[in-house]
Amino acid sequence: MADQPRPRSALTPAQAFDALYAFCAPALVRQTYLLTGRRELARESVEWAFQLAWQRWPEVARDRDPAGWVRATAYDCALSPWHRFRPRYRHPEPPPPDASDRALLDVLLELPAPQRRTLLLYDGVGLDLPDTAAETEASTPATANRLLHARAAVAARLPDLSDPVELNRRLAELASAERLRAAKPMTVREGSERRARFWTRAAIAFTVALIGTTALTLRTAPTQYEPPVPPGQTVLGVPPRVAPGPLSEKEVKLREKLRKATASGPVRLVPETR
């Protein structure tokens, strides 16, 4: 009896993640560079997307398109408006050395972000129109409209790229011209686990502080309702309060007389001791 072929053993989660990373990360860094024009931001966005994918690996592994899940997350991170407030991203990076590459990158960065993302997915990555619309969370007609406007803007500045085939080739050349390297998959997994531990500890600390604050509030809060004192109101017809002035000479003599009368007055006014 001939030996039956041995079934291949299933990959561990770490091995499956590393395979996806090796397949997607290098090209995804180059795509994200075309989307932002920033090398460090491209690497950072892709690394963050894969860290998030490792934290949600059961969900990502069962997704219909894990590569698309990571790509959409990386694009969202790269296009986040919060990067403009970071000091390192307030100044532009050095442009590509080739003049034609600089011209193409300038045209891409002048496009609105939705048009730039649609053009990159359709003419750069090679997705069809429904998949591009799904990944950009737009309707198919809106996606087609963005694509046409983006192509028209590129053709107006660079007439040689009016052909979509030529545009696809130039986008691939521009992305490959930059020496962009992604981090190692083990480094990304370890960074994801450190980030998860940090946020877990932060959540625990916040919960403990919230419980302590609630207990202190319950201990020090009043047990019954005390209505607030209403503000004072002006009473009409009451004469104003006047401070007493200095005593007259007649009032001074009367005060002295009253003080002496208590000690030397009639006997009936002196208290008797018993």
Side-chain angles (χ1 to χ4, degrees):
M1 184 176 178
D3 295 338
Q4 296 293 333
R6 284 180 146 183
R8 298 180 61 182
S9 59
L11 296 176
T12 64
Q15 291 173 340
F17 174 85
D18 292 351
L20 177 65
Y21 187 88
F23 177 74
C24 298
L28 189 55
V29 172
R30 293 192 292 268
Q31 296 168 20
T32 312
Y33 170 70
L34 297 182
L35 196 65
T36 61
R38 294 185 176 276
R39 301 166 182 83
E40 186 62 29
L41 179 58
R43 286 189 289 262
E44 182 181 290
S45 300
V46 173
E47 184 174 344
W48 184 85
F50 274 100
Q51 287 181 356
L52 189 61
W54 179 240
Q55 293 177 15
R56 305 179 181 179
W57 185 246
E59 171 191 347
V60 177
R62 291 192 300 268
D63 192 87
R64 182 178 62 87
D65 183 15
W69 191 98
V70 177
R71 180 176 58 243
T73 305
Y75 284 12
D76 288 341
C77 176
L79 294 176
S80 173
W82 296 105
H83 293 303
R84 72 184 66 178
F85 300 107
R86 302 173 63 182
R88 68 166 66 180
Y89 297 127
R90 292 178 181 174
H91 305 286
E93 290 188 358
D98 186 73
S100 60
D101 290 344
R102 287 198 302 270
L104 178 56
L105 186 60
D106 290 342
V107 173
L108 291 177
L109 297 180
E110 289 176 0
L111 295 175
Q115 294 184 15
R116 192 187 324 147
R117 184 172 184 173
T118 301
L119 181 70
L120 182 60
L121 290 174
Y122 191 85
D123 288 329
V125 179
L127 299 184
D128 58 12
L129 198 59
D131 289 342
T132 302
E135 188 159 324
T136 56
E137 298 181 351
S139 63
T140 303
T143 303
N145 191 38
R146 291 174 181 176
L147 179 62
L148 293 177
H149 279 80
R151 284 179 172 178
V154 173
R157 291 280 302 274
L158 303 173
D160 296 340
L161 301 182
S162 57
D163 183 10
V165 177
E166 181 65 17
L167 178 60
N168 177 273
R169 186 186 66 82
R170 287 292 294 120
L171 288 175
E173 289 180 353
L174 177 58
S176 302
E178 295 293 331
R179 296 182 178 180
L180 300 172
R181 296 182 179 180
K184 295 182 179 180
M186 182 179 296
T187 304
V188 175
R189 283 192 280 108
E190 292 176 352
S192 176
E193 293 167 0
R194 285 195 302 269
R195 186 190 298 268
R197 287 194 297 268
F198 169 78
W199 286 112
T200 301
R201 293 170 181 170
I204 294 174
F206 176 77
T207 304
V208 171
L210 182 61
I211 293 174
T213 304
T214 304
L216 180 62
T217 302
L218 294 175
R219 185 177 182 85
T220 58
T223 57
Q224 60 183 4
Y225 175 72
E226 297 180 1
V229 179
Q233 297 181 357
T234 304
V235 180
L236 301 178
V238 178
R241 192 173 183 180
V242 180
L247 299 178
S248 62
E249 183 179 355
K250 184 178 180 180
E251 293 173 339
V252 171
K253 292 180 179 179
L254 178 59
R255 184 182 64 181
E256 295 296 331
K257 182 178 180 181
L258 292 175
R259 287 179 177 175
K260 295 177 180 179
T262 304
S264 59
V267 179
R268 59 186 176 85
L269 295 179
V270 178
E272 297 180 357
T273 58
R274 297 189 181 186

